[in-house]
Amino acid sequence: MARDESASVLHGLMQNHADRNASGENVALSRFGDTVAMRMAKMLHHMGYVRRGHLVVATRDDLVGQYVGHTAPKTKDVLKRAMGGVLFIDEAYYLYRPENERDYGPEAIEILLQVMENQREDLVIILAGYKERMETFFQYNPGFHSRIAHHIDFPDYTLEELLAIAELMVGRQRYAFDEESRQAFAEYLQLRIKQPHFANARSVRNAIDRIKLRQANRLVKGGGSIAKAELIRIDAADIHQSRVFQRSLATECEAPPARKERP
């Protein structure tokens, strides 16, 4: 298969994944998980893009040093491990911090750009992060933008998909929603989606972890012997104690009353 044909097939497969999951060529992606990046590395290896098909995941901490002379060795070590495969840089916009003049991120960026230009046949680099922040990152770093062939935005999960993810997570941990708690969690998600820093499935996982803690506290406070069914059941009260509901109520209370029109 020709290189350009392979790129088209790969783009189609990735877009198909985005449609189903409503999170050398270089790729920029919005809300893209390392699990999917691993599958992408295997696809690239199968299509002949890379020699080995392995995935190396890196963040700013793996690439940027804390003092002079520290960044270059760190960045080059990560690149060495990634050669022949795929380097996945999560939340890539943290590499550049314009508010800090003494930041060493630009040094890491310069090394990455050199490798992307000179060794592009032996390495695929994926830059991942939230769409708006990635767009700003590319504005400040035009060298990346000119070397990235594909920009793919994975849409947010729908409410129904988030509920399905929650059911799957809860079931795998041997817990269960009842009818009332399932409705309560749906209400929780409707509110949480509108608030800052919502991170799709990651936020669902964090919410479930907190719900489990509240459930455990409720059962301990109740005292006595606990039936097995109660050990696994999540109650609506375990969800309604979330600060998300409290913030929503506070917002409603703080909202000014609607002005009446004069007759």
Side-chain angles (χ1 to χ4, degrees):
M1 183 180 289
R3 189 178 186 80
D4 291 341
E5 292 174 349
S6 298
S8 298
V9 171
L10 177 61
H11 186 280
L13 288 170
M14 293 169 66
Q15 190 59 55
N16 183 48
H17 178 88
D19 293 339
R20 290 199 318 270
N21 290 280
S23 175
E25 296 289 338
N26 300 303
V27 186
L29 303 137
S30 302
R31 291 180 290 272
F32 193 79
D34 54 358
T35 300
V36 181
M38 176 64 77
R39 296 180 183 177
M40 182 179 172
K42 293 179 179 178
M43 291 187 339
L44 288 168
H45 178 59
H46 179 71
M47 292 188 293
Y49 270 79
V50 291
R51 292 181 288 113
R52 300 168 58 190
H54 67 296
L55 176 72
V56 174
V57 179
T59 64
R60 172 188 167 87
D61 291 341
D62 300 306
L63 299 166
V64 181
Q66 299 179 355
Y67 51 84
V68 176
H70 191 207
T71 296
K74 291 187 69 172
T75 303
K76 290 178 180 178
D77 178 66
V78 171
L79 287 167
K80 182 179 179 180
R81 290 189 285 112
M83 281 298 167
V86 174
L87 173 59
F88 177 84
I89 304 177
D90 196 15
E91 297 185 309
Y93 32 75
Y94 286 130
L95 291 176
Y96 183 71
R97 292 179 173 174
E99 71 281 1
N100 186 355
E101 296 181 356
R102 301 181 61 183
D103 183 63
Y104 301 109
E107 183 179 355
I109 290 174
E110 183 62 31
I111 295 171
L112 289 169
L113 289 174
Q114 291 176 4
V115 171
M116 290 169 69
E117 184 67 29
N118 300 329
Q119 296 176 269
R120 56 180 298 155
E121 297 298 325
D122 200 29
L123 178 66
V124 170
I125 296 179
I126 298 174
L127 306 179
Y130 290 100
K131 181 179 179 180
E132 295 76 13
R133 295 185 183 181
M134 291 297 289
E135 290 174 349
T136 302
F137 175 72
F138 286 128
Q139 290 175 4
Y140 280 108
N141 299 276
F144 267 128
H145 195 279
S146 63
R147 290 172 174 82
I148 301 276
H150 304 287
H151 296 251
I152 302 173
D153 179 29
F154 286 77
D156 289 329
Y157 288 111
T158 64
L159 177 62
E160 291 73 20
E161 289 170 333
L162 290 170
L163 286 170
I165 290 171
E167 290 276 9
L168 184 62
M169 290 181 176
V170 166
R172 286 181 174 175
Q173 298 177 53
R174 298 186 179 180
Y175 287 83
F177 290 118
D178 59 20
E179 185 175 346
E180 291 183 0
S181 61
R182 187 176 293 106
Q183 178 60 35
F185 195 74
E187 294 170 0
Y188 167 88
L189 286 174
Q190 289 175 328
L191 297 172
R192 183 65 184 88
I193 288 171
K194 300 175 184 177
Q195 295 181 354
H197 310 300
F198 179 71
N200 286 280
R202 183 187 305 170
S203 291
V204 171
R205 182 181 66 242
N206 293 340
I208 290 173
D209 287 342
R210 290 189 289 269
I211 288 169
K212 286 159 49 184
L213 287 174
R214 296 190 202 106
Q215 186 243 30
N217 289 332
R218 174 175 58 82
L219 294 176
V220 170
K221 288 180 180 179
S225 60
I226 304 172
K228 181 178 179 181
E230 283 301 302
L231 285 173
I232 67 174
R233 187 181 70 87
I234 293 175
D235 191 87
D238 303 328
I239 300 170
H240 283 143
Q241 291 176 29
S242 169
R243 288 176 295 177
V244 169
F245 290 98
Q246 297 171 13
R247 288 172 183 169
S248 176
L249 181 60
T251 301
E252 292 178 2
C253 294
E254 293 171 1
R259 297 182 60 183
K260 295 183 179 180
E261 295 184 3
R262 293 182 179 180

